[in-house]
Amino acid sequence: MPEKKPSMFEQLDSINVNSYTEKKGQFTYLSWAWAVRELLKVDPQATWVVHKWGGDDDVNSRPYMETEAGYFVQVTVTVDGVERTQIHPGLDNRNQTIKEPNAFQINTSIQRCLAKAIALHGLGLYIYAGEDLP
């Protein structure tokens, strides 16, 4: 019987990215640049979209959503035809919600969201295990 080829998730999940992570306070991060690099080595056709709100065109839309709870960004990553979407709040360097983020803070949130959306496909997903626990 022929050997089963690992799924794209299994391939990405098997990559050890520990040497690319950084520790900031109590949190471990995988830089978006390393996440994109490793993803594209496995699937050069992978793509991502930063979602926009507030208008039907690029002039009037913006890459963040403002709510009473804070600002959010959303990124969808497509790997081997599978789309996975992540929503991420605008956070400061202490992981506290930013009341009125500037352009740099919005961009940083988008890049964090991109790294997490890639993780949903398996790459570095283990880094986030337990992050939702108190």
Side-chain angles (χ1 to χ4, degrees):
M1 206 167 159
E3 236 180 272
K4 179 186 162 223
K5 180 183 175 195
S7 70
M8 190 62 69
F9 182 91
E10 290 168 328
Q11 291 177 56
L12 290 168
D13 187 50
S14 70
I15 298 171
N16 182 336
V17 294
N18 288 343
S19 61
Y20 305 127
T21 61
E22 300 173 31
K23 191 91 165 148
K24 293 184 181 178
Q26 65 185 34
F27 299 101
T28 301
Y29 293 93
L30 175 62
S31 165
W32 69 268
W34 286 113
V36 167
R37 179 179 181 260
E38 294 302 311
L39 170 64
L40 293 178
K41 283 167 56 177
V42 175
D43 183 3
Q45 304 304 312
T47 60
W48 53 93
V49 173
V50 175
H51 296 263
K52 295 182 179 180
W53 291 273
D56 294 331
D57 57 34
D58 283 337
V59 174
N60 296 310
S61 62
R62 54 190 189 254
Y64 60 87
M65 173 179 54
E66 182 181 1
T67 72
E68 290 179 17
Y71 289 77
F72 293 87
V73 298
Q74 183 174 339
V75 176
T76 297
V77 174
T78 304
V79 177
D80 197 31
V82 176
E83 290 184 356
R84 299 198 192 280
T85 300
Q86 177 70 31
I87 298 173
H88 191 71
L91 301 173
D92 64 17
N93 59 353
R94 295 167 304 171
N95 278 5
Q96 300 298 308
T97 303
I98 301 170
K99 300 251 189 258
E100 293 186 31
N102 61 37
F104 181 80
Q105 292 165 322
I106 292 292
N107 184 63
T108 299
S109 292
I110 290 169
Q111 303 303 22
R112 291 286 345 118
C113 191
L114 172 59
K116 284 189 166 188
I118 291 170
L120 293 176
H121 288 279
L123 183 70
L125 185 59
Y126 64 88
I127 293 169
Y128 304 102
E131 128 175 322
D132 54 343
L133 301 174

